[in-house]
Amino acid sequence: MKNLLKKLGTTLFILLIYMLGSSIPIPLAQTSQEFRQVLMDSPIGIMSFMSGGNLQHLSLFMIGLTPLMIAMMFVQLLTMMRLFYFDTLSTQQMMKIQQWCSLLFAVIQSLAITLGMHITTNSFKSIMVILMLTAGSMFVIWLGNMNMSFGIGGTITLIMFNIISGSTPNLIRAIKSLGQQPGGILWIGGTILTSFLILIFWIAFNRAYYPIKMINTMMSSKDKPLILPIGLNNGAMMTYMIGMSILMLPTLLVNRFGTRSFLVNPYFNVIVSGLLAFILFYFFTFVQFDPKQQAKTMLRSNNYILGIRPGEPTRKYLRQKLIMVSFPGALLNAIQLSFGLLGNQVLGGFAGLAIVPMNIIMIVMFMQGIKDQLLMLIFPLKYEQLLKEESL
């Protein structure tokens, strides 16, 4: 319990620093017409919430964890494709490369915000603002790493706090507007009930899996088959976090194409976002459940799927099942993300309600990881015993 209180205190202190940094305006910068136009015509504000940033305000921490999210995607992609011998690097080497990539992407995004949105008036101010935005983003990444080492939840806690604190004002305004409509109480009650049903659905869907039955060569004919679970929603969390980070970069540069360009059209951006979310869902699903690695593990453990030969046939079978099982999750998350980003155009003054389902999904997934860590801190002896039993 003492360790739990210590980690909880560290996390609260880190959140306090994060909150203070998010409220510090950037010196030498000013809100330009281009900045207002991008916020009005694009869902970039919502995108930034999902990656620990807040582009609705010119603050020191406005970029947040976005560079880290993109760097993680970049490193994982190179590792999966086995380019530049990334798959042979140690964990420490990959972390160093990820840190340098985070710095590079922080500079790129700072350049995009400063120059693309014209928030400064001369070159000297632009250089200073770029340096401050880059330093602010790297400091947020450092806070996330410190929370991972000494607190609870790591970077997930920062993102979840940012989602709740950033979305709450818009949600309150939407509920007030809803209450002023005829039958406002019924509308509010229906909204709460719908949100509760969505919460139940995503909790169940996040826990659902497709069971692959395995047989071990050391088992007797009376033993029950082993289960290899394939989660239906494996790739969702990283899809939202990293997908939003990637989508922000082209959105920040749309002013270079002119206001009449199709690239500025919010409906075009939403379609692209949905397609990217669908693809990224499968990508991160394969990252978390690699059929090739699973087939190797089964072969070494003397496990096999009934009717399927070990080795390459098992890999192909798992790959086929993974594609099939992940399709509902990829489709649902792509639709949900698109609807959340299109809220301003669809719901108008009630746009704050559009992101409620998306926030519910994120919080459900984040709380699952935080819950496991809290249980380990509350019942350390129980988890130590389980780990010893698994190692035997």
Side-chain angles (χ1 to χ4, degrees), residues 151-342:
I152 298 174
T155 56
I156 289 177
T157 304
L158 292 179
I159 296 175
M160 188 168 68
F161 175 81
N162 194 55
I163 290 173
I164 295 173
S165 61
S167 304
T168 300
N170 294 331
L171 179 60
I172 292 175
R173 284 195 296 269
I175 291 176
K176 286 182 177 179
S177 300
L178 198 63
Q180 295 172 358
Q181 303 298 312
I185 300 297
L186 294 177
W187 281 108
I188 293 175
T191 302
I192 294 174
L193 178 60
T194 303
S195 301
F196 182 71
L197 293 176
I198 292 174
L199 175 64
I200 294 175
F201 170 79
W202 281 110
I203 289 175
F205 191 76
N206 202 48
R207 294 179 177 177
Y209 62 88
Y210 179 86
I212 300 289
K213 294 183 178 180
M214 301 186 303
I215 304 296
N216 189 280
T217 55
M218 304 299 294
M219 295 170 56
S220 68
S221 59
K222 297 180 180 179
D223 292 332
K224 293 183 179 180
L226 303 173
I227 297 296
L228 177 65
I230 300 180
L232 272 62
N233 208 32
N234 273 341
M237 183 167 67
M238 298 304 290
T239 297
Y240 281 91
M241 291 168 57
I242 296 181
M244 294 298 96
S245 302
I246 295 173
L247 285 170
M248 277 197 294
L249 288 177
T251 306
L252 291 171
L253 298 172
V254 292
N255 286 310
R256 296 296 181 185
F257 301 100
T259 56
R260 294 184 179 180
S261 172
F262 71 94
L263 296 173
V264 188
N265 189 296
Y267 294 97
F268 172 80
N269 289 331
V270 167
I271 291 173
V272 172
S273 301
L275 291 174
L276 180 61
F278 188 87
I279 295 170
L280 285 177
F281 185 93
Y282 270 106
F283 173 78
F284 289 115
T285 297
F286 274 83
V287 168
Q288 295 191 41
F289 189 97
D290 184 359
K292 185 176 182 179
Q293 187 60 41
Q294 292 289 341
K296 287 183 178 179
T297 303
M298 290 175 62
L299 187 61
R300 288 195 297 265
S301 304
N302 296 320
N303 294 327
Y304 68 93
I305 302 170
L306 195 62
I308 307 296
R309 292 176 62 86
E312 184 63 16
T314 297
R315 184 195 69 82
K316 291 181 178 180
Y317 176 82
L318 291 175
R319 183 177 180 274
Q320 181 182 3
K321 287 295 181 182
L322 190 60
I323 292 173
M324 179 188 69
V325 169
S326 300
F327 180 79
L331 184 62
L332 283 173
N333 282 282
I335 293 173
Q336 180 54 67
L337 187 144
S338 300
F339 178 72
L341 297 181
L342 200 60

Side-chain angles (χ1 to χ4, degrees), residues 81 109 123 130 166 177 204 206 229 235 306 310 323 339 349 351 363 371 381:
M81 298 181 67
Q109 192 162 357
S123 299
I130 290 169
S177 300
N206 202 48
L306 195 62
I323 292 173
F339 178 72
I363 292 172
K371 182 198 74 173
L381 296 178

